[in-house]
Amino acid sequence: MSVGNKIVNLYLSSNLRRIERFMHQPEAVQRETFGLLMKNLAATRYGREHGVSENMTYSSFSERLPIVTYEALESYIEEMRLGAADVLWPGVTKWFARSSGTTGSKSKYIPVTEINLETCHFRGGRDVLAVYFDLYKDNTLFSGKGLTLGGSQKGDVEMNGSHSGDLSAILLTRSPKWVGAVRTPSKRVALLSDWDAKLAGIAHEALGQNVTSLTGVPSWNMVMLKRMLEISGKQNLLEIWPNLQVFFHGGMNFGPYRPQFEQLIPSPNMHYMENYNASEGYFALQNDPHDAALLLMLDYGVFYEFIPMDDFFNGERKAIPLQEVKAGVNYAMVISATNGLWRYLIGDTVSFTSTSPYKIRITGRTKHFINACGEEVIIDNVESALAKACKVTGAIVAEYTVAPRYMNMREQAAHEWFIEFERMPEDLDAFMLLLDGAIQALNSDYEAKRKNNVTLAFPIVHVVPKGTFFGWMDSRGKVGGQNKVPRLSNGRMYADSLLEYLVRNGSEL
């Protein structure tokens, strides 16, 4: 181990001890978090409105406070943005992460308090480094720079002294000065709102740097890296950055993108580490390269509750605490946190692979499923089936979205797929047969509806030209790390919008 790595390991050793503690004492750490949160909630207007006291029990908390979505907290957050104090969190909150997500076009403004910034978002970044240095003790990460592709300052708003913008822009703005010495591109380029200008700036600054790591959302990094190859004229990224060794990624399932990254970075020594970080908080990270499940981080000022998705589909919103979850059950995640979100339904669904320690897989979104005929297909079903179909046929899927085609007097209901392939299968019909069969094997409700084509017909597939999804997202003002292609929808909004885009651009389906 180099002297530099020994110094970094010494600096990060306390992070590893913290992680070890909550892995072995999860309930105790969550009780401490709950106590901290109740002390602060009791000092807010929201807490007083719900009869919260500092020594409130979890039972009373779950009875008095409703499980809410953003809409229920929006008026409180707007007051906070105008400078009101002690609304959802004690004191005045100055920073708000703007997030449109994929559930709608309306912006959400998630509070980022000082304690939340330091003990959740920044702590998550330090813990990722601690885990990486512990796993790969002879790494040379800090011999070069990390290329971070984040959001922008486009649409950032200042309101009575408060600032709103992409979370990545907030984190970059508030990061310690030393971070600038180990990352690229410059803050000026990183915060550019024009995508083409940002890529040109990254090429100008980063192509000549010794880049050792990448950080960001897989889809937008893929676009950026392909542009770097076009500009440089190189065949793969190792010809540009020979010491590239790790991609810290999050925001979406990496599975469909991994084959593309392995083509771009043909090195057996390239590492991939997934993180579950969102505007609402930093929740989990991958601590074992041989296990795709993510370790739930329990001392980031977040108290966790979960709603079984079977209940959620039936309209029931009764949540259970962490210690009552079971492995293999699909849950909607509910958080209460140091950013002032109380019993907040963040919209993600997870399944536990282990309860000692608590490790999760992200299985989808509470609003992103297809249940047009009672089939209850979730993103996890689709991603797993796609991986199997691609493995058997050698296909590589770049992007996709799926929507229901509803039953009418002439046609049966079916799932309608729009797929952009990086590498087409030789036989598209065989690919779709494998895909359909794999979803049936994973989801008994879908299997029942597909039986004999009585309720659901065989899936409809449209192969769209390369670049379609980027162009469609760009046309909707949805380019950048905070925006993701909507994979599943229980309605036709995204599918019809994509069809209109294809027609406008002269594409034939």
Side-chain angles (χ1 to χ4, degrees):
M1 184 186 297
S2 68
V3 174
N5 278 19
K6 287 181 179 178
I7 294 172
V8 173
N9 270 325
L10 182 65
Y11 171 71
L12 296 173
S13 60
S14 62
N15 296 63
L16 293 174
R17 289 194 295 272
R18 277 187 23 261
I19 293 170
E20 283 290 326
R21 179 177 180 244
F22 72 67
M23 286 175 68
H24 292 101
Q25 302 177 51
E27 284 79 15
V29 171
Q30 278 285 275
R31 281 197 301 272
E32 292 168 6
T33 298
F34 183 78
L36 168 71
L37 291 172
M38 291 307 98
K39 180 179 180 180
N40 284 279
L41 178 57
T44 67
R45 173 152 54 89
Y46 192 76
R48 291 190 293 272
E49 289 174 359
H50 291 87
V52 173
S53 61
E54 288 190 22
N55 58 353
M56 175 172 275
T57 64
Y58 171 70
S59 177
S60 296
F61 171 75
S62 62
E63 288 174 2
R64 295 187 185 186
L65 272 76
I67 293 173
V68 299
T69 59
Y70 181 81
E71 288 70 25
L73 298 181
E74 185 174 16
S75 62
Y76 295 96
I77 292 173
E78 285 303 300
E79 289 185 53
M80 295 169 71
R81 293 181 65 206
L82 289 168
D86 307 328
V87 180
L88 293 174
W89 188 260
V92 176
T93 300
K94 294 287 189 181
W95 295 87
F96 297 83
R98 187 188 68 249
S99 171
S100 61
T102 54
T103 57
S105 59
K106 185 177 181 181
S107 291
K108 296 181 290 186
Y109 295 91
I110 305 300
V112 182
T113 64
E114 290 299 316
I115 186 174
N116 175 248
L117 186 68
E118 178 57 35
T119 64
C120 187
H121 292 292
F122 285 157
R123 178 175 287 180
R126 291 193 294 270
D127 283 351
V128 167
L129 287 176
V131 170
Y132 183 76
F133 271 75
D134 188 51
L135 289 172
Y136 308 105
K137 292 181 171 56
D138 293 325
N139 74 81
T140 56
L141 192 68
F142 287 136
S143 68
K145 294 192 174 185
L147 198 169
T148 302
L149 182 64
S152 70
Q153 288 185 321
K154 180 181 180 181
D156 287 12
V157 177
E158 184 172 349
M159 184 186 292
N160 280 27
S162 72
H163 300 268
S164 302
D166 283 357
L167 176 65
S168 56
I170 293 173
L171 297 180
L172 180 58
T173 301
R174 296 296 308 277
S175 292
K177 288 185 178 179
W178 66 265
V179 173
V182 296
R183 68 171 303 281
T184 190
S186 64
K187 185 183 294 187
R188 179 191 66 81
V189 170
L191 296 177
L192 287 173
S193 58
D194 182 272
W195 180 253
D196 288 329
K198 177 180 286 192
L199 291 186
I202 291 173
H204 177 72
E205 294 186 359
L207 285 180
Q209 299 274 5
N210 176 26
V211 171
T212 56
S213 69
L214 306 170
T215 301
V217 176
S219 57
W220 299 117
N221 266 265
M222 180 60 60
V223 174
M224 181 265 293
L225 295 176
K226 287 181 177 179
R227 186 70 63 86
M228 296 302 105
L229 291 180
E230 291 173 5
I231 293 171
S232 66
K234 304 296 185 182
Q235 296 300 308
N236 66 66
L237 290 176
L238 296 180
E239 295 180 18
I240 303 174
W241 301 308
N243 299 314
L244 187 61
Q245 60 187 265
V246 61
F247 178 28
F248 300 108
H249 60 88
M252 59 177 57
N253 181 12
F254 186 57
Y257 294 96
R258 190 177 187 112
Q260 299 178 66
F261 274 88
E262 290 175 346
Q263 282 190 344
L264 290 177
I265 312 167
S267 168
N269 299 317
M270 182 67 185
H271 307 299
Y272 299 93
M273 287 187 65
E274 184 173 359
N275 312 283
Y276 181 10
N277 54 332
S279 298
E280 294 86 357
Y282 205 120
F283 303 125
L285 59 85
Q286 187 176 5
N287 69 328
D288 182 349
H290 305 294
D291 183 1
L294 307 179
L295 180 68
L296 193 64
M297 308 305 282
L298 302 181
D299 66 345
Y300 284 13
V302 181
F303 181 78
Y304 294 98
E305 297 176 273
F306 301 88
I307 304 172
M309 281 304 290
D310 284 347
D311 294 342
F312 190 91
F313 278 125
N314 293 326
E316 296 180 31
R317 297 292 175 92
K318 182 175 174 56
I320 58 174
L322 180 66
Q323 63 266 28
E324 295 182 20
V325 302
K326 297 178 180 179
V329 176
N330 205 30
Y331 294 101
M333 195 159 81
V334 177
I335 64 165
S336 297
T338 53
N339 53 10
L341 300 180
W342 303 106
R343 305 202 83 198
Y344 184 84
L345 189 67
I346 65 171
D348 289 335
T349 62
V350 301
S351 175
F352 286 84
T353 64
S354 166
T355 57
S356 182
Y358 288 99
K359 301 189 78 170
I360 61 172
R361 293 186 306 109
I362 303 166
T363 55
R365 299 280 296 171
T366 55
K367 292 186 178 181
H368 284 206
F369 57 87
I370 301 181
N371 195 32
C373 303
E375 64 271 39
E376 295 185 5
V377 171
I378 62 174
I379 293 175
D380 190 51
N381 300 152
V382 168
E383 298 279 15
S384 298
L386 266 177
K388 180 177 181 180
C390 286
K391 183 177 181 179
V392 172
T393 64
I396 297 177
V397 172
E399 299 288 356
Y400 73 93
T401 192
V402 194
R405 177 174 287 187
Y406 298 110
M407 185 182 301
N408 57 41
M409 295 300 291
R410 292 174 288 108
E411 297 175 317
Q412 289 174 273
H415 288 185
E416 187 170 10
W417 287 72
F418 298 82
I419 305 178
E420 180 181 325
F421 286 100
E422 180 67 22
R423 184 166 68 215
M424 278 280 293
E426 290 185 8
D427 187 334
L428 182 61
D429 291 337
F431 176 89
M432 292 306 298
L433 277 169
L434 282 165
L435 180 60
D436 180 59
I439 297 175
Q440 291 189 51
L442 291 163
N443 185 314
S444 59
D445 291 318
Y446 179 78
E447 181 184 33
K449 303 304 182 293
R450 282 283 297 115
K451 188 173 183 180
N452 299 323
N453 295 325
V454 172
T455 305
L456 276 176
F458 188 78
I460 301 160
V461 61
H462 305 293
V463 177
V464 302
K466 288 186 178 182
T468 291
F469 278 90
F470 176 82
W472 175 57
M473 294 289 282
D474 192 23
S475 72
R476 298 165 61 233
K478 298 287 186 179
V479 171
Q482 294 296 109
N483 301 288
K484 307 169 188 72
V485 171
R487 299 306 194 195
L488 301 184
S489 174
N490 203 36
R492 297 283 308 174
M493 179 176 69
Y494 300 121
D496 290 343
S497 171
L498 182 57
L499 282 169
E500 290 173 6
Y501 171 82
L502 289 164
V503 170
R504 286 198 310 270
N505 287 273
S507 296
E508 295 184 6
L509 296 179

